[in-house]
Amino acid sequence: MDPALPWILPLGCVLLLANAAHCFILPNSSHLESILSKYQDGEAHSRSKRAILFSDRQEILMLHNKLRGQVYPSASNMEYMTWDDELERSAHAWAQQCIWDHGPSALIRSIGQNLAVHWGRYRSPAFHVQSWYDEVKDYSYPYPHECNPWCPDKCTGPMCTHYTQIVWATTNKIGCAVNVCKQMNVWGEIWENAVYLVCNYSPKGNWIGEAPYKNGRPCSECPPSYGGSCQNNLCYKDYRYEDPYITETDETNEVETPQLSEHKPVWLHPPENEPSKTIKPKKTTSNSYMTQVITCETKMRDKCRGSTCNRYLCPAGCLYSKGKVFGTFYYESSSSICRAAIHYGILDNKGGLVDITRKGRTPAFVKSTRNGVESFRKNKPSNAFMVSKVTTQTLDCYTTVAELCQFKKPTTHCPRIYCPAHCKDEPSYWAPVFGTNIYADSSSICKSAVHAGVIADEEGGFVDVMPVEKKKSYVGSFKNGVQSESLRSPADGNAFRIFAVKQ
């Protein structure tokens, strides 16, 4: 491979290298720490002398976990990845050698390693991590029926081992380092001022004949040591930064109430044939709509006091507003919701819908400039949140919340749903409805929406749903032409609320 193709010379060059395993037996991990200690540079690493900037370290780690949680097909045993100082130090020691190859040879037998190098214009470490993951386009997951006795190598491109190391389910530690090499021999050519990224992983992945992870419902096959805990589709057991003061209750799941200071009320005029009749304003219930209209300056902590947050509608023009944003990937709770969404890249200056998910207490927040929004640093622990795009999904009359988006903690949002017309008369054994106002998650979403009166059966339309914890019992009722059933002491499953959508 020629590392200096003429058409990319003006922008600089980027190369990636990943090691592949050549045996079927995992190494004895009990000796890993002693092996790693041999590759330290002999000098104590204080906080001011880390091998990588704290902001780069946070970005690498957050991106790895984000990518691991979104693999397709889904992973049932994908573990949450944490930063390891010993791996960072061993990566630093190797990066200092400025050798474009995996090493040192004695260490490589016990850890995984991804390498990248570039010269020219600035590239963040996250750019390389994303490049490693993007090899997924050439990789086909080997399903169990293909793995007899060994799984085949299903990479159709020149290399996929960067990707498979990132998503190797049992690899749960990472440490990286960056070094600028004055001169570096990259496949026979001398690169000056080459920026060298080394990431070391443990336990190592890329074992020949194995799939990178098990396919199945996320977190359904986590190792027992995780105690059944799951976060963002990853087996998770690090509770240091969870917020102990937030509990999931009906009160913390409340949705939109009228916000007179943030949007103008809509006045309803009385019918023309009854001009003298006094019409009392219809009381707006707290569960009419899940979507809340906010301003560009609205802070997350002002509009989400519980563990489950609303769905928010941002106005246009927030790119140039004064609302501050603190952090990258994870945003501090005093950040503007709408400007954080622009910074993250899910909204532009035209505004739109955004979902936010609480992430508990986070130790620090790093600054960056993205999509025209500058975020600030905050070096003290605080509650955090993430923003996500509101997607729309078209369903049939039979789909349930249990099938679409089960309730779990930390709580997340479901897609906005478009229901077809004429679900009312579907038989209950195909499209059951259990409950009133709050429905069991084994209920048909769209038939429940007709029962709740949020869509008309002859028209269908959009609805929002919010999964919540199960009730002790569900009371049936006849509403809008649909008979819902009672359900006493359900053994499993959860519940959901259903909301009309403002058009």
Side-chain angles (χ1 to χ4, degrees):
M1 179 183 294
D2 186 356
L5 295 174
W7 62 276
I8 57 174
L9 278 173
L11 299 179
C13 295
V14 178
L15 290 177
L16 311 173
L17 195 62
N19 67 314
H22 296 284
C23 58
F24 297 99
I25 303 174
L26 291 171
N28 186 345
S29 59
S30 63
H31 300 296
L32 180 58
E33 186 173 349
S34 60
I35 295 173
L36 287 168
S37 65
K38 297 178 182 179
Y39 299 99
Q40 297 181 26
D41 57 11
E43 181 181 344
H45 286 253
S46 67
R47 288 185 182 269
S48 61
K49 292 185 176 181
R50 298 199 72 98
I52 192 168
L53 293 174
F54 179 79
S55 58
D56 288 341
R57 163 187 167 179
Q58 290 295 96
E59 192 171 37
I60 289 172
L61 184 58
M62 291 176 184
L63 184 54
H64 269 77
N65 282 320
K66 176 176 178 283
L67 296 172
R68 287 165 67 84
Q70 67 182 33
V71 292
Y72 182 83
S74 59
S76 62
N77 66 329
M78 188 71 73
E79 299 182 35
Y80 182 87
M81 190 172 279
T82 60
W83 194 267
D84 186 87
D85 288 343
E86 294 297 325
L87 288 171
E88 176 189 327
R89 291 169 186 166
S90 65
H92 172 71
W94 185 245
Q96 293 292 312
Q97 301 300 313
C98 293
I99 299 174
W100 180 238
D101 201 356
H102 293 285
S105 57
L107 183 62
I108 276 303
R109 291 194 291 269
S110 302
I111 65 167
Q113 188 176 75
N114 278 355
L115 306 177
V117 63
H118 76 270
W119 62 264
R121 68 182 178 91
Y122 172 75
R123 305 275 188 177
S124 70
F127 169 85
H128 293 298
V129 174
Q130 187 66 54
S131 297
W132 293 336
Y133 183 86
D134 287 346
E135 291 173 2
V136 66
K137 69 182 186 302
D138 297 323
Y139 184 76
S140 298
Y141 178 84
Y143 287 92
H145 67 274
E146 303 173 88
C147 300
N148 186 19
W150 309 111
C151 297
D153 177 11
K154 302 193 71 175
C155 182
T156 58
M159 186 175 292
C160 296
T161 48
H162 297 98
Y163 164 74
T164 50
Q165 177 58 83
I166 286 178
V167 302
W168 204 268
T170 56
T171 298
N172 53 32
K173 293 180 180 180
I174 184 176
C176 304
V178 176
N179 182 44
V180 179
C181 300
K182 291 184 178 180
Q183 288 191 331
M184 188 171 180
N185 188 324
V186 181
W187 289 332
E189 294 196 7
I190 302 300
W191 289 15
E192 295 186 355
N193 296 319
V195 182
Y196 192 19
L197 171 65
V198 178
C199 283
N200 287 345
Y201 299 84
S202 178
K204 74 178 298 179
N206 289 341
W207 295 96
I208 292 176
E210 296 184 14
Y213 57 84
K214 296 179 182 179
N215 170 228
R217 180 171 56 83
C219 300
S220 62
E221 297 184 85
C222 293
S225 60
Y226 287 91
S229 296
C230 184
Q231 177 173 293
N232 298 330
N233 299 330
L234 302 176
C235 306
Y236 181 77
K237 63 179 177 181
D238 187 354
Y239 300 105
R240 288 175 297 171
Y241 307 128
E242 290 293 316
D243 192 337
Y245 302 105
I246 296 173
T247 57
E248 183 72 18
T249 65
D250 282 346
E251 286 72 27
T252 61
N253 275 315
E254 290 304 322
V255 294
E256 181 183 2
T257 56
Q259 303 294 324
L260 298 181
S261 61
E262 301 210 49
H263 56 89
K264 296 179 180 180
V266 177
W267 298 103
L268 299 177
H269 298 284
E272 293 182 0
N273 60 346
E274 297 181 9
S276 62
K277 185 177 180 180
T278 302
I279 305 280
K280 292 183 179 180
K282 185 178 180 180
K283 184 179 179 182
T284 303
T285 60
S286 63
N287 60 352
S288 295
Y289 300 103
M290 184 175 170
T291 299
Q292 183 170 338
V293 180
I294 59 176
T295 70
C296 297
E297 287 75 31
T298 300
K299 301 174 183 177
M300 175 267 191
R301 68 184 181 190
D302 295 335
K303 294 301 173 188
C304 181
R305 301 297 180 90
S307 58
T308 303
C309 300
N310 292 346
R311 177 162 284 165
Y312 300 99
L313 179 60
C314 291
C318 292
L319 179 61
Y320 305 109
S321 75
K322 296 180 179 179
K324 290 187 176 181
V325 178
F326 299 90
T328 301
F329 293 117
Y330 287 5
Y331 298 101
E332 200 264 344
S333 60
S334 63
S335 300
S336 157
I337 295 173
C338 297
R339 284 174 55 78
I342 295 175
H343 181 270
Y344 195 77
I346 66 171
L347 292 184
D348 56 23
N349 202 36
K350 297 178 182 178
L353 290 169
V354 59
D355 285 337
I356 65 177
T357 303
R358 298 190 70 111
K359 304 306 295 184
R361 294 187 70 80
T362 298
F365 301 85
V366 297
K367 68 177 182 179
S368 63
T369 299
R370 295 184 170 189
N371 303 307
V373 175
E374 180 183 9
S375 69
F376 296 90
R377 184 190 308 275
K378 185 166 282 192
N379 290 320
K380 65 177 182 180
S382 183
N383 288 332
F385 69 98
M386 291 188 72
V387 294
S388 59
K389 186 178 180 64
V390 177
T391 58
T392 300
Q393 189 166 340
T394 299
L395 301 185
D396 55 29
C397 295
Y398 319 112
T399 306
T400 68
V401 169
E403 296 169 336
L404 180 70
C405 53
Q406 295 178 335
F407 172 79
K408 58 184 178 180
K409 293 184 179 180
T411 50
T412 56
H413 287 289
C414 296
R416 172 159 287 180
I417 295 162
Y418 183 79
C419 289
H422 308 301
C423 288
K424 181 183 72 173
D425 296 325
E426 292 292 341
S428 58
Y429 52 86
W430 283 345
V433 178
F434 300 99
T436 301
N437 298 326
I438 296 180
Y439 301 91
D441 66 2
S442 55
S443 305
S444 156
I445 296 173
C446 294
K447 194 172 176 181
S448 297
V450 176
H451 179 269
V454 298
I455 59 172
D457 181 62
E458 62 274 11
E459 297 176 359
F462 289 97
V463 299
D464 283 329
V465 298
M466 178 186 287
V468 295
E469 290 185 283
K470 69 179 179 181
K471 293 169 60 69
K472 293 181 180 179
S473 63
Y474 301 87
V475 178
S477 63
F478 184 79
K479 295 173 64 178
N480 301 304
V482 175
Q483 177 67 56
S484 69
E485 303 174 48
S486 298
L487 189 61
R488 306 291 179 183
S489 303
D492 51 18
N494 287 291
F496 71 96
R497 295 177 180 181
I498 193 158
F499 307 97
V501 170
K502 289 182 178 180
Q503 297 293 350

